[in-house]
Amino acid sequence: MPSVTRDTFQRSHPRRPRLESTVTLAHGSGGRAMHDLIDSIFVARFQQAPAPLEDQARIPLGALNTLGDRLAFTTDSYVVDPLFFPGSNIGELAVNGTVNDLCVSGAIPLYLTCSVILEEGLSTDLLAQIVDHMAIAAVQARVQIVTGDTKVVPRGSVDKIFINTAGVGVMRTGINPCATALQPGDRILINGAIGNHGAAILVARGELALDTDIQSDCQPLNSLVDAIVSVCPDVRAMRDATRGGLATVLNEFATASQVSIQLQEEAIPVDEPVAGLCELLGLDPLYLANEGKIVVVVPAHRADETLATMRSHPAGQESCCIGQVGDRFPGLVSLQTAFGTERVVDVLVGDQLPRIC
Amino acid sequence: MKYVHEFRDPQRAQGILRQIEAIAAQFPPGSPGSSASDRPLRIMEICGGHTHAIFKYGLADLLPDTVELIHGPGCPVCIMPKGRLDDAITLAQNPQVILTTFGDVLRVPGSSQSLLQAKAQGADIRVVYSPLDALQIAIAHPDREVVFFAIGFETTAPSTALTVLQAAAQGVSNFSLFCNHVLVVPALEALLNQPDLQLDGFIGPGHVSMVIGARPYRVIAERYGKPVVVSGFEPVDILQSLWMVLDQLVTGRCTVENQYSRLVAEDGNAVALGAIAQVFTVREQFEWRGLGEIPASGLRIHPDYAQFDAEVKFSLPHPHVDDHRACACGDILRGVKKPWECKVFGTACTPDSPLGACMVSSEGACAAYYNYGQLDRRRPATSSASLAPSHSSRVRR
């Protein structure tokens, strides 16, 4: 029998990636198991054309220069429980959340990273489903996932899967919304009802034994932002109202610009099931998280046109004006109630906790 | 939402307010509430739920100057003394124990830390929405001791009692209660026995009364001469109840009336009261944060159910921890001081580091003033005891 040498040895056919049914520590070891996992789950879904894998994405600057004059760069980690909830899932969230953090600066989001930390024992089917949702969300948000990383940690070290996505985008020349730019007289706009994501997660955790049809509002906002900046290039500030909700974003704006913000309680849109859940638990929808809501501050003379543009966009059909900027109490957000009274809307100390009675 | 929107109707509220103004104008000169008096009429809303609603809707700002709302001791989270919290933390630090409780208890400060801090240090503390959830955790973890840290007035006591009865029926031996249920009428009597009290009437707690009925408040009207109106929780409910209290005062009547009759029966809920009577007995006395020891104001587990009593099952130190010296919670609860008249309000005592009972939960008077505070108090402080700090000077974590 002739001995096998490097010259004579050839595989009879190329090796196919093997994928086991659960993630093991071997999948994070840098060896063949890891490459198989990356190839069959991530590369297969994210790579748009076959290319050798490098340790970094290489992005040509020429094309970026035609879009604007600055880079926007952001990162966010996603640790949601449960992984799938009414209206969305962690994969979609990991793309849209980072796209939204980019686009509220007025930037055009272009490239994302995808780093996952996996718990030993996670089903590879479940992982594939999550990555599928990421790939679809990236296409819908018109961004590419171009590089990433996979780590596996022992059972119990993380809860199933943690995802980090960083993103870069190009900021349009001359458009520079920022939290410090609010001026008395400006109008506060929002693209629809608040609190749906936070409420959907609360219900999905199953601790309340409640059955509702509340869905997360998870969606990419970059196309809506395109429309907003096209009619209102001098938009003062934009921010997506995620953790801490609408109240938190407005407090950040009021503090940064040293202006007061007065909201009209009756103008703030809250869907009936969300309002009902909040009544039941003693929570305030102003502080519930959103994943597809943008707070937009515009000069008063631009408000009507901006609002009309937002309403004609699928992501902003229920847009409305909810308040305005003033100068009475610098740094303070207040709410005018239906009774004609006014109260402070402060920042929460910690999480909202359900009241007991 | 049906049965909610109707009770938040600004038109209805305006109508009631006009009647309140009309009544307030009728008080005889020199009496509290008359325009010539140096003291407004002081009506206490007992329940923290009412306090929360009053601030949320800004109702106090709508009232004439001659009528003032005083915020009472009816927030079960606020009145939990530090020593009991320390006991709960001791329980939670036992590696054998899973401590379960309601969400808003987590931030209440003990003498050195809160349950939230103990949880961060590794104690197994879990938030439940019902004591029955705690029982389920006990069934699911037969190798652990599951303790439910029960707090609340008569509102939450029936569900705790029914959970104990269910644990007994199912023979669950690894479940117990750390019972801190308190009673509303003894606390009111303790307030009314204070020499410097300045109260003219009460808006009675709706949810407690759903269980105990309206009858138990008769002692307040008959022995202490203060009108009581049991009230619902929506703005129109509260305004209507206030009007009913004022109407009693101006017509010289003094009785217990029930504005919340859509939910509250004169004699309460017999099933709920039966469960309370079966499972609990009244303690000789119980310590209230801000008010001190009050006789016959708390519940303990009846000896028949001692196997479910965490205070019997585990040896607890029961420390007594004094309230902070600078804290004026006791005066605030008696209607003698306003939150912003306390030396530490908004400075050393804030919702993220509360020193006193009234700053602990969003239903406490001080926390409500601090969070929703009337805007006219938001000018920079001119002296340490006068005004809330300006908003931007807060330390944020």
Side-chain angles (χ1 to χ4, degrees):
Chain A
M1 183 153 176
S3 63
V4 177
T5 65
R6 193 182 296 219
D7 297 334
T8 60
F9 177 74
Q10 279 195 323
R11 287 203 185 121
S12 51
H13 51 82
R15 186 180 163 276
R16 280 218 166 114
R18 270 186 67 252
L19 193 58
E20 295 159 55
S21 62
T22 55
V23 173
T24 66
L25 290 174
H27 287 116
S29 64
R32 183 166 287 158
M34 185 175 98
H35 287 105
D36 283 353
L37 182 82
I38 290 171
D39 285 344
S40 56
I41 293 208
F42 295 96
V43 177
R45 288 169 177 79
F46 293 158
Q47 200 174 54
Q48 304 198 323
L53 288 188
E54 301 287 357
D55 279 347
Q56 65 296 117
R58 301 173 185 191
I59 297 167
L61 289 176
L64 303 189
N65 281 325
T66 63
L67 297 173
D69 60 353
R70 289 153 298 161
L71 274 186
F73 181 29
T74 189
T75 180
D76 206 339
S77 298
Y78 300 87
V79 296
V80 66
D81 171 48
L83 300 175
F84 286 75
F85 43 88
S88 192
N89 57 76
I90 190 171
E92 210 172 84
L93 205 57
V95 171
N96 291 341
T98 298
V99 163
N100 293 344
D101 281 349
L102 284 173
C103 74
V104 293
S105 72
I108 303 158
L110 295 170
Y111 302 107
L112 301 190
T113 68
C114 165
S115 287
V116 295
I117 300 177
L118 308 175
E119 183 184 21
E120 176 188 25
L122 180 74
S123 143
T124 49
D125 264 357
L126 185 66
L127 177 62
Q129 275 180 54
I130 291 166
V131 177
D132 267 333
H133 282 288
M134 289 187 79
I136 294 164
V139 170
Q140 286 174 340
R142 306 192 308 272
V143 293
Q144 287 180 48
I145 299 172
V146 290
T147 185
D149 177 59
T150 307
K151 292 282 186 293
V152 182
V153 295
R155 190 182 278 274
S157 302
V158 301
D159 184 11
K160 298 185 271 298
I161 176 171
F162 291 172
I163 304 177
N164 171 277
T165 52
V168 289
V170 174
M171 290 184 74
R172 295 169 172 93
T173 308
I175 292 175
N176 192 30
C178 54
T180 53
L182 277 69
Q183 292 179 23
D186 289 350
R187 297 293 190 271
I188 315 283
L189 315 177
I190 193 160
N191 65 318
I194 58 168
N196 295 51
H197 175 77
I201 294 285
L202 261 179
V203 174
R205 287 194 176 143
E207 295 162 350
L208 301 170
L210 284 175
D211 197 13
T212 69
D213 51 5
I214 300 170
Q215 304 257 318
S216 167
D217 60 342
C218 184
Q219 62 177 346
L221 294 165
N222 47 336
S223 165
L224 178 63
V225 167
D226 291 349
I228 292 167
V229 299
S230 70
V231 296
C232 186
D234 50 349
V235 56
R236 303 270 200 230
M238 293 190 283
R239 199 161 281 186
D240 52 333
T242 51
R243 261 179 315 182
L246 173 64
T248 304
V249 167
L250 293 174
N251 269 286
E252 287 165 356
F253 283 173
T255 303
S257 292
Q258 280 302 294
V259 292
S260 58
I261 291 176
Q262 191 184 50
L263 298 172
Q264 299 298 325
E265 185 172 40
E266 287 179 297
I268 299 169
V270 183
D271 289 342
E272 193 85 350
V274 174
L277 184 79
C278 287
E279 287 295 330
L280 201 65
L281 298 176
L283 301 175
D284 188 338
L286 285 171
Y287 297 96
L288 280 181
N290 308 276
E291 286 295 345
K293 290 298 172 301
I294 183 169
V295 184
V296 185
V297 186
V298 295
H301 69 278
R302 298 274 201 198
D304 290 347
E305 193 186 0
T306 309
L307 203 52
T309 302
M310 287 169 73
R311 283 181 180 157
S312 63
H313 190 282
Q317 289 169 345
E318 294 173 3
S319 298
C320 48
C321 178
I322 54 173
Q324 65 177 17
V325 179
D327 55 5
R328 284 185 315 154
F329 304 101
L332 193 87
V333 180
S334 69
L335 184 88
Q336 186 107 39
T337 71
F339 301 94
T341 54
E342 193 176 9
R343 68 168 167 94
V344 174
V345 178
D346 206 345
V347 180
L348 284 181
V349 173
D351 278 343
Q352 276 203 105
L353 298 167
R355 300 196 346 248
I356 73 163
C357 61
Chain B
M1 266 168 289
K2 207 163 167 45
Y3 305 121
V4 172
H5 287 318
E6 300 88 333
F7 295 95
R8 292 183 190 174
D9 178 8
Q11 299 292 178
R12 282 202 179 92
Q14 284 303 334
I16 297 170
L17 274 165
R18 277 194 293 276
Q19 294 184 49
I20 287 175
E21 284 161 11
I23 286 193
Q26 295 174 40
F27 281 90
S31 68
S34 67
S35 48
S37 163
D38 59 355
R39 165 158 116 62
L41 279 167
R42 294 202 167 120
I43 312 301
M44 173 178 277
E45 90 281 354
I46 299 157
C47 178
H50 286 148
T51 306
H52 187 84
I54 285 162
F55 279 94
K56 188 174 171 188
Y57 298 101
L59 301 183
D61 296 344
L62 298 170
L63 302 176
D65 291 345
T66 51
V67 178
E68 201 174 73
L69 289 168
I70 301 294
H71 316 299
C75 161
V77 177
C78 300
I79 58 94
M80 196 49 46
K82 286 180 184 173
R84 301 294 288 181
L85 246 300
D86 288 354
D87 277 345
I89 291 168
T90 302
L91 278 168
Q93 285 168 336
N94 177 337
Q96 198 50 36
V97 168
I98 300 172
L99 186 84
T100 56
T101 190
F102 294 133
D104 55 359
V105 183
L106 291 190
R107 272 203 299 266
V108 185
S111 60
S112 63
Q113 60 176 182
S114 66
L115 285 170
L116 203 57
Q117 287 159 322
K119 186 174 188 288
Q121 289 167 6
D124 193 344
I125 297 168
R126 305 185 192 183
V127 170
V128 293
Y129 294 92
S130 148
L132 286 169
D133 296 344
L135 184 59
Q136 288 311 312
I137 292 172
I139 292 165
H141 297 84
D143 57 329
R144 302 281 297 278
E145 279 292 337
V146 175
V147 180
F148 178 63
F149 180 16
I151 77 158
F153 285 84
E154 293 94 330
T155 321
T156 51
S159 59
T160 310
L162 290 168
T163 305
V164 170
L165 292 173
Q166 195 157 340
Q170 295 180 0
V172 183
S173 61
N174 63 324
F175 174 79
S176 58
L177 273 192
F178 179 45
C179 180
N180 294 273
H181 285 298
V182 286
L183 305 172
V184 70
V185 174
L188 291 180
E189 290 199 72
L191 266 183
L192 288 159
N193 287 324
Q194 305 272 352
D196 55 351
L197 182 84
Q198 299 182 356
L199 292 176
D200 302 297
F202 289 96
I203 291 174
H207 290 153
V208 168
S209 309
M210 214 165 59
V211 174
I212 67 173
R215 192 182 301 276
Y217 303 106
R218 287 187 187 180
V219 62
I220 310 291
E222 290 161 10
R223 188 178 308 163
Y224 297 94
K226 308 287 181 193
V228 181
V229 176
V230 174
S231 173
F233 290 85
E234 297 303 332
V236 170
D237 285 320
I238 295 170
L239 290 172
Q240 188 185 20
S241 301
L242 179 62
W243 172 81
M244 288 165 75
V245 174
L246 296 178
D247 188 63
Q248 284 197 45
L249 289 170
V250 83
T251 55
R253 293 176 300 123
C254 182
T255 178
V256 179
E257 291 176 324
N258 181 7
Q259 181 275 342
Y260 204 25
S261 57
R262 63 186 187 273
L263 230 60
V264 172
E266 184 65 17
D267 292 315
N269 180 322
V271 175
L273 288 169
I276 291 177
Q278 188 176 347
V279 173
F280 299 118
T281 63
V282 177
R283 293 176 190 264
E284 275 180 34
Q285 52 184 18
F286 192 77
E287 187 192 347
W288 293 53
R289 194 187 289 226
L291 294 173
E293 296 280 352
I294 301 178
S297 65
L299 296 174
R300 69 160 63 249
I301 295 184
H302 193 281
D304 290 355
Y305 294 93
Q307 73 267 36
F308 299 107
D309 188 345
E311 291 176 72
V312 172
K313 216 171 192 178
F314 304 89
S315 61
L316 295 174
H318 288 321
H320 168 78
V321 185
D322 282 331
D323 289 327
H324 194 277
R325 276 199 321 277
C327 162
C329 280
D331 292 342
I332 290 162
L333 290 172
R334 289 198 304 279
V336 178
K337 268 190 182 167
K338 291 286 179 202
W340 63 89
E341 291 170 335
C342 170
K343 285 192 174 65
V344 288
F345 175 78
T347 51
C349 182
T350 63
D352 37 356
S353 60
L355 293 179
C358 304
M359 192 60 97
V360 172
S361 129
S362 64
E363 297 184 358
C366 295
Y369 265 98
Y370 188 90
N371 290 327
Y372 291 142
Q374 294 151 322
L375 290 157
D376 57 358
R377 304 203 187 287
R378 287 314 194 86
R379 292 183 295 271
T382 50
S383 80
S384 62
S386 59
L387 302 163
S390 72
H391 186 79
S392 53
S393 67
R394 301 245 187 104
V395 177
R396 295 235 173 92
R397 291 187 183 158

